Structures are given as structure tokens and as C-alpha cells.
Amino acid sequence: MGTPRRRGRSSIVPKRDEKTIARNRRAFHDYEILETYEAGIELTGTEVRSLRDNHCQLTDCFALIRGGEVWLNNVHIPPYANGSIFNPDPDRKRRLLLHKKQIRYLDAKVAEKGLAIVPLKLYFNADGRVKVELALARGKKLYDKRASMKERDAKREIDRVMKERSR
């Protein structure tokens, strides 16, 4: 746990660590990450409960800017098992919470340079709120993907040799 913090007058609540719910591993393979941002996400209560059970899928998701708001598309949060008939649609669009200045900056970058806004991970922060790590990213070409795979394999081989040498 982290350092305790005071809530109210007398109760002390220990600070939680960040808990990752889901990662978009494919994003690191398909995109070159330029900048990252932390955004809040607008959810219903049963969606948060489903996320607490680690039910979420981030593959093939993306973010769009429409009408001065950022929307997260193709994120699948399955219905909460103990929820009622009023569970929301698992594949609905969800609004992301960013500052207007950040939204304008991202909108300008995406429009002029052909960049994309890609979610990298979904997690609970230290205060227990659901956050999304967004990235401003440029799509990789096939030869870039091959080069990064070659680089990763070379690093793995060097680490293996160094480990054997230190024995």
C-alpha cells in the first residue's frame, strides 16, 4: 500500500496502488507512440463493478473527437453479473474527460498530421477512479514493425548471453 491519507477529521484511509484493468498490447506493435495523456471516463455504476472484476477488452478500440468531446469506441465492458435488466450496452461509446485545451490540441494534431488517438491501458488510479491512458500515435509501416521486432529479439539475445555469462 502507499502512505495513509486523512479523509474527514479522524478517519485515516490507506492510499491504494494503481491497479491495471486492461492493456492494449497491440497498440505498441501497430503504432509509434508520440505523447501520452491520462483521461477520466464516464461510466455507469454496473460498468465500474464489472471493471473491478477485471472484465474489459481494449483490442481494436480507438478515440474520436466529435463536437469538442472525446469519445472512446469499441471498448467492450461486459454486463455486471449481478446487475439488473438496466445494464448498459457493453459496446456503447463512452465519453472521455479531458481539459478543453488538451482536446483542442489533440484535434489539431489529428487533423493536420494524420495521427490517431489510441487508448493504451485502462486502470484504477490511487483514488480508486477509472482512468484511461491515451496516446497520440502514428501508424507503423510493415518495415518499421519488422525493425522493432528485430530490435526486441536482439535485446532478448543480449540479455540471455549476459545472464549466462554472470553465472
Side-chain angles (χ1 to χ4, degrees):
M1 292 272 158
T3 58
R5 62 188 168 153
R6 291 207 174 266
R7 186 181 282 171
R9 287 185 170 241
S10 63
S11 63
I12 294 179
V13 179
K15 203 164 195 174
R16 300 182 197 120
D17 293 330
E18 183 180 290
K19 179 187 171 199
T20 302
I21 301 165
R23 286 186 170 280
N24 189 356
R25 292 191 179 113
R26 186 163 183 121
F28 291 100
H29 178 72
D30 291 340
Y31 296 97
E32 174 189 351
I33 308 300
L34 303 176
E35 300 175 22
T36 59
Y37 297 92
E38 180 182 63
I41 184 169
E42 200 174 82
L43 298 171
T44 64
T46 55
E47 287 176 324
V48 175
R49 288 179 179 200
S50 182
L51 288 175
R52 288 206 187 280
D53 294 337
N54 279 353
H55 296 303
C56 183
Q57 185 178 18
L58 281 182
T59 53
D60 299 330
C61 63
F62 58 95
L64 292 175
I65 300 175
R66 296 283 181 257
E69 295 179 337
V70 183
W71 294 90
L72 193 61
N73 297 325
N74 290 352
V75 174
H76 182 76
I77 300 175
Y80 180 55
N82 297 326
S84 65
I85 59 169
F86 300 109
N87 277 336
D89 179 32
D91 296 319
R92 71 182 181 93
K93 296 178 186 175
R94 293 167 177 89
R95 189 166 65 136
L96 296 179
L97 308 172
L98 286 164
H99 294 284
K100 282 189 179 185
K101 191 174 183 179
Q102 290 175 328
I103 294 172
R104 284 195 299 263
Y105 175 77
L106 288 172
D107 195 20
K109 286 286 191 177
V110 169
E112 74 181 34
K113 294 186 179 178
L115 302 176
I117 304 171
V118 181
L120 299 179
K121 72 177 179 177
L122 197 67
Y123 61 95
F124 287 104
N125 70 353
D127 295 329
R129 293 194 168 101
V130 180
K131 299 289 182 179
V132 179
E133 185 176 344
L134 293 175
L136 190 62
R138 178 181 295 121
K140 282 186 184 177
K141 304 283 188 218
L142 184 60
Y143 55 84
D144 289 335
K145 292 179 189 177
R146 286 190 193 129
S148 61
M149 285 171 57
K150 187 177 179 181
E151 196 175 293
R152 187 180 65 232
D153 290 342
K155 184 181 180 310
R156 191 178 296 146
E157 185 65 32
I158 289 170
D159 290 344
R160 185 177 12 230
V161 169
M162 292 300 287
K163 185 178 176 183
E164 295 223 0
R165 190 172 182 200
S166 66
R167 285 186 181 180

